[in-house]
Amino acid sequence: MDPQAELRIVRGAYAKQIMAAANIVDPRVAAAFAAIPREDFVGPGPWMMLRWWSRDYVPTPDADPVYLYTNDLIALRPERRLNNGQPSLHAYLMHQAAPSAGEHVVHIGTGTGYYTAILAHLVGPSGRVTGIEYDGELAARARANLKACANVEIIAGDGTLVPFDSADVIYVNAGCTRPAVRWLDGLADGGRLILPLTSDEGFKGGAPEQVARSGAVFRVRREGAGYQAAWISPVAIIPCDGGRDEASEKVLAEAFASGGWQKVTRLYRDAELPDERCWLRGDGWCLAYD
């Protein structure tokens, strides 16, 4: 069998397994995962794969791309524990974000572009994706990897500050301690923000260069001047450059310690709410209960 035809069969099976691992039924997301070659975005093989049983990387036996089609993390920079993220988590978060044909997605933390390409497939040629990556070398790799995608633009810069056109989806792939003002301002009416909020408490004792962050992902939906918010997933993810500060991390850690994030229903951009309605109060914003 032609190797590319064989890989198409493997990708189709992989997409089904990822949907099952994410516990979702979403034919559009499944088709996107089946369509995009992961090997085009993770550099030449053999590849270093993170194994949960050892919490360390293990090389694939050789450079056969079939090894990439599992629900595993592939190292982009193993010395920083920077990976091409877990497919089932991304499938679930994309399902929650629900990007549709013709929409504009802003992808914060695009890495080398694999999940950016999947988002571009979901919005189709009538839509577009703006990928923003803090690391200039990774941004250059993403730009090269995505050069054939006419509906994708890659920008190197701080994803909390880079200006962008009004977005239907803002998909953040790094752990923050607060939502950026740019993101809340940049959401279109009806737009969805996928927001991982992570504290430093989850992996005490880890080396600073490790992914020593854990927390929760919230989906924030803009409704005119207001914002719905809901917890959608636990998460452990690399920290967001520009999206963290000591003061907001402290109050976030306290909020996680007190529990109750599953009950959040709203995000407010003012400080007038009484404390008993706030799960987390930041500088000029809060996550709250109805």
Side-chain angles (χ1 to χ4, degrees):
M1 180 183 292
D2 173 70
Q4 289 305 311
E6 182 178 277
L7 277 175
R8 284 193 291 273
I9 294 171
V10 169
R11 279 197 295 271
Y14 156 79
K16 289 185 177 182
Q17 291 296 328
I18 295 309
M19 297 302 107
N23 195 27
I24 59 173
V25 177
D26 191 326
R28 295 183 67 251
V29 172
F33 272 82
I36 304 301
R38 200 177 189 189
E39 62 270 22
D40 290 355
F41 298 90
V42 292
W47 301 275
M48 300 297 290
M49 304 183 75
L50 186 64
R51 299 304 188 190
W52 295 110
W53 48 266
S54 66
R55 294 189 178 276
D56 206 352
Y57 294 103
V58 176
T60 58
D62 54 50
D64 188 338
V66 73
Y67 296 118
L68 299 175
Y69 292 104
T70 60
N71 191 29
D72 289 297
L73 300 170
I74 311 297
L76 299 177
R77 287 187 174 171
E79 73 282 359
R80 287 183 55 197
R81 298 186 76 84
L82 177 63
N83 308 304
N84 179 252
Q86 188 173 34
S88 61
L89 174 64
H90 282 275
Y92 179 75
L93 297 181
M94 289 181 191
H95 172 71
Q96 293 288 333
S100 61
E103 290 193 320
H104 177 212
V105 175
V106 175
H107 185 189
I108 308 295
T110 197
T112 57
Y114 175 58
Y115 295 107
T116 314
I118 291 175
L119 290 165
H121 188 280
L122 286 166
V123 299
S126 62
R128 59 193 177 105
V129 178
T130 302
I132 305 174
E133 173 53 52
Y134 191 92
D135 185 308
E137 188 270 334
L138 291 179
R141 287 176 63 183
R143 195 174 293 115
N145 292 338
L146 293 159
K147 62 184 178 182
C149 296
N151 63 341
V152 176
E153 178 187 14
I154 300 297
I155 301 171
D158 185 337
T160 67
L161 299 175
V162 169
F164 52 80
D165 294 339
S166 178
D168 301 292
V169 173
I170 301 175
Y171 189 76
V172 181
N173 281 171
C176 309
T177 57
R178 49 182 164 72
V181 171
R182 175 76 65 189
W183 304 340
L184 297 177
D185 287 346
L187 271 184
D189 193 10
R192 291 82 68 200
L193 165 64
I194 300 300
L195 177 67
L197 291 179
T198 60
S199 82
D200 297 345
E201 295 296 318
F203 294 87
K204 282 291 191 182
E209 69 272 12
Q210 292 181 341
V211 183
R213 306 288 187 268
S214 67
V217 184
F218 292 86
R219 181 185 58 218
V220 178
R221 179 183 175 89
R222 186 165 191 171
E223 296 179 330
Y227 300 84
Q228 286 187 343
W231 172 78
I232 57 173
S233 176
V235 71
I237 196 168
I238 196 163
C240 179
D241 292 306
R244 306 185 69 84
D245 64 80
E246 186 176 346
S248 61
E249 193 283 326
K250 180 180 179 182
V251 296
L252 179 61
E254 291 171 353
F256 279 132
S258 66
W261 59 86
Q262 302 96 329
K263 299 177 183 178
V264 166
T265 57
R266 304 289 297 183
L267 184 148
Y268 291 96
R269 300 186 69 180
D270 58 57
E272 302 301 319
L273 232 61
D275 287 344
E276 59 268 22
R277 285 190 57 198
C278 292
W279 173 68
L280 169 65
R281 188 189 297 277
D283 183 13
W285 67 280
C286 69
L287 286 172
Y289 319 113
D290 281 333

